[in-house]
Amino acid sequence: MRKTALITGATSGIGKATAQILALNGFDLIITGRREELLDQLSTSIRNETDADVISLVFDVRELSQVEKAFESLSGKWSNIDLLVNNAGLAVGIEPVHEGVIDDWERMIDTNIKGLLYVSKLISPRMVERQIGHIINISSIAGHEFYPNGAAYCGSKHAVKAITKVMRLELLPYGIKVSSISPGMVETEFSLVRFKGDQNRADQVYKGLTPLYAPDIAEMILFMVTRPSHVNIEDMLIMPTDQASTRDFRRR
Ligand code: NDP
Ligand code: 8X3
């Protein structure tokens, strides 16, 4: 029997690649994001290329009323979500705290922390009721390490690590799996967003090295969700071979 997965931030990067690989491996999908046109394009290509059933929900994870309204529209099989991938997230700006841009901090904290909590709060009660489910939170190497000019982003991803562990403890009695994935550098729209649309600066991030690509992380998510029911992977830390820490790279 096919399972149902809900993926936040499926319009791009890791979320999109995860939708594509799960569709090929027995999941029907609820894909979400703010850019409706990109969700429509992804739905069409998944329907054409796989057996998966797909619906899309357009909402901003920072807006609780939008999240609530979107999930209220789910009925029938779509309300029985087996897998939630909390992927929507971003880094924006790269300044020290003493020069920080408050709006950038709020975007990161509201998306990476509060958005993940809103979605989890609305989806997990049905998992608890059914005593089945798996929640995978996309954290980061920035949730394990610290680097200058990354206070709000590192703080938000350390928060994701803490929230993941707390949810794991809380959902233990119900047999619900909770995991996180902590990637190093993945070439997606991430750097373009971090540098506020400056393509040149974004390109410099990946110059002279081979980063991870979105399908590398999607494959790890597939691995996580295909373990036997008695196995819960707590966290997976995945780096490009050319990156040994947030500050150590091999560039050629
Ligand atoms: P992308 O920018 O390519 O994708 C981000 C996704 O998040 C988009 O689909 C975007 O959709 C969605 N999103 C952002 N803000 C919101 C919002 N307010 N409401 C709803 N959706 C939102 O980046 P990645 O694929 O790289 O990022 C995915 C996750 O991976 C993030 O949590 C990121 O922090 C994490 N990560 C990324 C790494 C990297 O190097 N790329 C490394 C480690 C972790 P839309 O704009 O349509 O709303
Ligand atoms: C993204 C990886 O090192 O830019 O989460 O923070 S890093």
Side-chain angles (χ1 to χ4, degrees):
M1 204 173 110
R2 296 185 74 87
K3 291 184 171 180
T4 301
L6 187 147
I7 304 163
T8 65
T11 56
S12 169
I14 294 169
K16 181 177 178 182
T18 302
Q20 288 166 326
I21 205 165
L22 291 179
L24 288 166
N25 286 276
F27 282 85
D28 291 329
L29 297 176
I30 304 168
I31 53 173
T32 81
R34 290 167 301 180
R35 288 173 290 176
E36 188 168 9
E37 209 179 295
L38 295 181
L39 290 173
D40 290 345
Q41 283 170 16
L42 181 61
S43 301
T44 304
S45 74
I46 287 176
R47 281 192 202 106
N48 289 342
E49 289 157 28
T50 75
D51 296 331
D53 206 354
V54 192
I55 58 169
S56 59
L57 298 175
V58 182
F59 61 86
D60 185 325
V61 294
R62 294 172 296 179
E63 299 295 333
L64 181 59
S65 59
Q66 287 185 26
V67 185
E68 285 172 336
K69 196 166 163 218
F71 293 162
E72 273 162 18
S73 72
L74 296 174
S75 62
K77 74 167 187 176
W78 297 114
S79 50
N80 290 333
I81 291 161
D82 300 291
L83 169 66
L84 165 62
V85 184
N86 275 315
N87 163 77
L90 79 174
V92 54
I94 187 121
E95 287 90 16
V97 170
H98 62 272
E99 293 168 3
V101 179
I102 304 290
D103 184 58
D104 293 351
W105 296 350
E106 286 177 348
R107 283 176 65 191
M108 286 184 269
I109 290 166
D110 289 353
T111 310
N112 301 356
I113 306 177
K114 289 167 68 181
L116 180 146
L117 283 168
Y118 293 162
V119 172
S120 301
K121 177 180 165 47
L122 293 169
I123 297 300
S124 56
R126 186 83 184 110
M127 289 183 172
V128 168
E129 224 174 277
R130 295 169 67 221
Q131 307 231 345
I132 192 159
H134 193 169
I135 298 173
I136 300 179
N137 295 328
I138 308 303
S139 180
S140 168
I141 182 66
H144 292 257
E145 295 184 15
F146 310 89
Y147 55 87
N149 308 324
Y153 185 68
C154 290
S156 74
K157 290 301 184 177
H158 275 75
V160 171
K161 189 169 143 192
I163 292 164
T164 304
K165 189 65 198 181
V166 171
M167 287 172 67
R168 169 88 176 107
L169 298 169
E170 292 169 350
L171 296 173
L172 175 67
Y174 307 101
I176 295 165
K177 297 187 186 191
V178 184
S179 312
S180 58
I181 299 207
S182 301
M185 180 189 285
V186 190
E187 187 170 6
T188 61
E189 291 179 9
F190 180 85
S191 292
L192 195 60
V193 172
R194 170 173 260 173
F195 296 117
K196 302 179 181 177
D198 184 338
Q199 187 69 59
N200 215 18
R201 262 186 105 184
D203 291 344
Q204 296 306 312
V205 173
Y206 311 109
K207 206 167 174 189
L209 54 70
T210 307
L212 296 169
Y213 299 105
D216 296 322
I217 305 304
E219 279 177 19
M220 298 302 154
I221 292 175
L222 180 65
F223 180 78
M224 271 188 170
V225 302
T226 51
R227 291 314 83 210
S229 62
H230 66 285
V231 178
N232 183 74
I233 298 176
E234 303 275 322
D235 187 29
M236 257 191 199
L237 179 56
I238 307 155
M239 303 294 280
T241 305
D242 286 342
Q243 181 187 16
S245 80
T246 51
R247 301 167 78 176
D248 292 274
F249 303 97
R250 175 173 177 254
R251 293 190 197 268
R252 298 174 295 282

